[in-house]
Amino acid sequence: MPARKEILEVAGREVTVSNPDKVFFPTTGHTKLDLVRYYLAAAEGALRGIAGRPMALKRFVHGAEGEFFFQKRAPASRPDWIETVELSFPSGRTAEEIVVRDAAQLVWIVNLGCIDLNPHPVRADDLDHPDELRVDLDPVPGIEWPQIRDVAMVTKEVLEDFGLVGWPKTSGSRGMHVYARVERDWTFPEVRRAALAVAREVERRAPDLATSRWWKEERHGVFLDYNQNAKDRTVASQYSVRPTPDARVSTPLRWSEVPGCDPDAFTIDTVPARLADIGDPTEGIDDAAGSLGPLLELAAQHEAAGFGDAPWPPQYAKQEGEPARVQPSKRRRGTPEKGGVVPPPAPGKRTGPTGRRRTKAPLIEIARASTQDEAMQGFERWKARHPEVAASLQPADVMIDPMRGRSTAWYRIRVNLRNVPEDERPPQEALEVDYDPWEGMDVEAWRREEQERQRQRKQAPKDRT
């Protein structure tokens, strides 16, 4: 029997929803059709966040608890009413990406398994000049929600003091986002430079709550991820459903709501009623574009005071003035300092917490999982077995690393036992969750492809001069 399909009339077009009864959220029982109906109910607000922007398709073809993959290139088989635009990436490669402008196109990409929406901060008619500065508030493990809200309020003050209007929303995960529309007069590096200035100013005003430090070993509190403004980075947009067990939604807020908001309250079931009741808090966002001039002046003051550029993500070519991309604990001054060890791998694994690198930090690996929730569940089991050790850990001692395989993401959890007395440190044990992202894959072929990509990235800046 052929799989059931449902044909919907949306924005004057017929859109087919394949396998509408497929369960996408096993915990809540929501199906693919439920997801489509949510986006139809939230279409006005969701389109305000993505309309006219190229999008990376983050596809969960097996639902929220399955593996996902990013698809930058638009599917070859698509209706003629699906718009695309060609983007170029830091690697020097190009791709045709989807551009959504109406609810029919929105439903079409949701049918592909796109649970959340990941647009670029540019419009399709000008791909070189962002119109959005994005402040991503990313808490280190152990930081509670009230501290994130406090940092959001400081972010609001900083943006206002430098001439921009901030628009807050829950991330739908552990943090918050604050967006600011900007005039399209600046390049990606300039917007990122302004975002770094915001992060440093928030850190200056709230040093006990927030940090602009890129390296995890230096972070505390809430990290303001300025690198989300680098070219080719995307963030889940407003009204995006997130792949969480409770189908949580990245929900825009009024500033008056932020001090008392609860992210658990915003789900696929509650947000449509909220929209119908109070409307979309971002309704005026497109009329609030401001100048980056004052923030760039602040960045210049930081640089004059000795604060240069901050590290870029590893896949980007080395930038002029960028500091060394070496963790502070691994930097060597003068004569190379020998010492440290390569931590042993977990039983049955070929690599340990640092791969082949030596370290003086007492690291152990806890889990490798296909989702962050699975990894955290394994970590909770490990803490239950080692309660006294867990009590000695500080938030910065727990490292949750998003990792990239060939086409899917996975998560690793490592623990630094530096705050645990040496004679009480547990040994490296079998992983609590043992996910192998390379299973069934020709790893050597992938490594050759990755080496070629790295070569192209290094060559790309020379090719553009």
Side-chain angles (χ1 to χ4, degrees):
M1 180 180 297
R4 189 172 85 82
K5 298 180 179 180
E6 184 135 347
I7 298 177
L8 303 178
E9 286 282 342
V10 183
R13 303 187 186 278
E14 289 189 349
V15 186
T16 300
V17 178
S18 59
N19 298 313
D21 303 318
K22 184 174 184 175
V23 175
F24 261 43
F25 294 88
T27 301
T28 63
H30 289 103
T31 64
K32 181 197 274 192
L33 187 58
D34 292 329
L35 183 66
V36 168
R37 285 172 173 157
Y38 160 80
Y39 274 113
L40 287 174
E44 181 180 355
L47 288 171
R48 188 168 283 118
I50 65 173
R53 302 179 184 279
M55 290 183 59
L57 304 179
K58 185 180 176 184
R59 298 182 61 181
F60 295 80
V61 295
H62 300 297
E65 295 186 2
E67 293 183 2
F68 69 86
F69 62 94
F70 277 100
Q71 180 174 338
K72 292 183 177 180
R73 289 169 173 79
S77 177
R78 60 181 186 268
D80 58 9
W81 43 268
I82 293 295
E83 182 181 342
T84 64
V85 67
E86 185 178 77
L87 270 71
S88 62
F89 305 112
S91 64
R93 292 179 294 173
T94 62
E96 293 282 335
E97 289 201 1
I98 298 289
V99 179
V100 171
R101 296 188 187 274
D102 63 27
Q105 296 165 334
L106 174 58
V107 170
W108 188 81
I109 65 169
V110 173
N111 182 60
L112 295 177
C114 295
I115 292 177
D116 51 20
L117 312 175
N118 292 268
H120 293 269
V122 293
R123 306 282 182 168
D125 61 346
D126 185 351
L127 299 175
D128 296 320
H129 298 93
D131 70 335
E132 204 163 63
L133 183 150
R134 297 172 172 179
V135 182
D136 180 7
L137 306 182
D138 183 12
V140 304
I143 296 301
E144 300 295 333
W145 182 250
Q147 184 166 333
I148 302 167
R149 296 184 308 209
D150 291 344
V151 175
M153 299 306 296
V154 178
T155 302
K156 171 183 182 290
E157 295 172 1
V158 169
L159 291 172
E160 288 179 347
D161 288 348
F162 289 89
L164 296 177
V165 178
W167 302 80
K169 68 183 182 72
T170 64
S171 71
S173 182
R174 297 182 61 245
M176 290 189 73
H177 301 150
V178 182
Y179 287 2
R181 287 286 198 269
V182 298
E183 296 161 350
R184 295 197 285 179
D185 295 331
W186 292 275
T187 62
F188 275 96
E190 288 171 317
V191 175
R192 177 190 172 277
R193 183 168 170 244
L196 176 57
V198 170
R200 286 172 169 166
E201 179 63 12
V202 171
E203 181 179 31
R204 186 188 70 81
R205 297 187 186 191
D208 295 332
L209 302 179
T211 182
S212 63
R213 304 284 181 168
W214 172 253
W215 297 107
K216 289 184 178 180
E217 64 187 46
E218 292 188 316
R219 293 181 192 173
H220 68 276
V222 179
F223 170 52
L224 288 90
D225 189 354
Y226 55 87
N227 271 328
Q228 292 293 11
N229 294 274
K231 188 175 183 181
D232 196 28
R233 299 299 285 260
T234 60
V235 179
S237 65
Q238 61 187 51
Y239 297 106
S240 284
V241 181
R242 304 308 305 277
T244 58
D246 57 352
R248 203 172 299 179
V249 172
S250 179
T251 306
L253 305 168
R254 298 186 175 118
W255 279 113
S256 60
E257 296 178 290
V258 170
C261 73
D262 178 1
D264 296 352
F266 307 119
T267 70
I268 194 173
D269 291 320
T270 63
V271 167
R274 169 183 165 84
L275 263 170
D277 183 31
I278 71 167
D280 177 17
T282 68
E283 188 171 355
I285 191 171
D286 290 321
D287 300 321
S291 171
L292 279 185
L295 277 176
L296 293 176
E297 290 178 9
L298 176 64
Q301 293 172 18
H302 289 164
E303 291 155 9
F307 295 96
D309 197 1
W312 287 64
Q315 67 269 33
Y316 289 76
K318 190 75 163 61
Q319 305 293 311
E320 183 178 354
E322 180 188 356
R325 292 183 187 173
V326 181
Q327 290 175 240
S329 61
K330 294 186 174 66
R331 292 175 188 163
R332 296 178 176 179
R333 300 174 182 174
T335 303
E337 179 185 352
K338 295 183 180 180
V341 298
V342 177
K349 310 308 293 184
R350 296 177 60 186
T351 59
T354 61
R356 295 188 295 271
R357 297 193 303 273
R358 300 172 70 88
T359 180
K360 292 184 178 180
L363 300 179
I364 59 173
E365 189 174 11
I366 305 300
R368 302 179 187 181
S370 59
T371 68
Q372 186 169 340
D373 285 342
E374 286 180 305
M376 290 302 298
Q377 289 168 15
F379 181 50
E380 291 301 322
R381 292 195 296 272
W382 181 87
K383 288 197 298 182
R385 293 207 326 274
H386 302 285
E388 294 183 359
V389 174
S392 299
L393 298 178
Q394 299 299 311
D397 295 338
V398 182
M399 293 165 281
I400 305 172
D401 306 312
M403 311 290 287
R404 280 293 181 90
R406 185 175 185 179
S407 59
T408 60
W410 56 285
Y411 294 85
R412 174 181 68 179
I413 293 185
R414 299 177 297 163
V415 168
N416 190 336
L417 300 174
R418 59 189 169 183
N419 290 307
V420 180
E422 189 168 355
D423 60 350
E424 298 177 13
R425 294 172 183 170
Q428 175 67 67
E429 302 169 320
L431 299 179
E432 290 290 338
V433 184
D434 189 358
Y435 169 70
D436 183 0
W438 312 107
E439 185 177 3
M441 184 181 295
D442 186 340
V443 177
E444 290 304 318
W446 179 86
R447 284 176 177 162
R448 288 193 295 271
E449 292 176 9
E450 185 62 21
Q451 289 171 355
E452 175 61 19
R453 283 193 288 269
Q454 292 288 349
R455 186 192 68 78
Q456 292 177 358
R457 287 170 187 151
K458 292 178 180 178
Q459 189 66 31
K462 299 177 183 178
D463 293 342
R464 290 196 291 268
T465 59

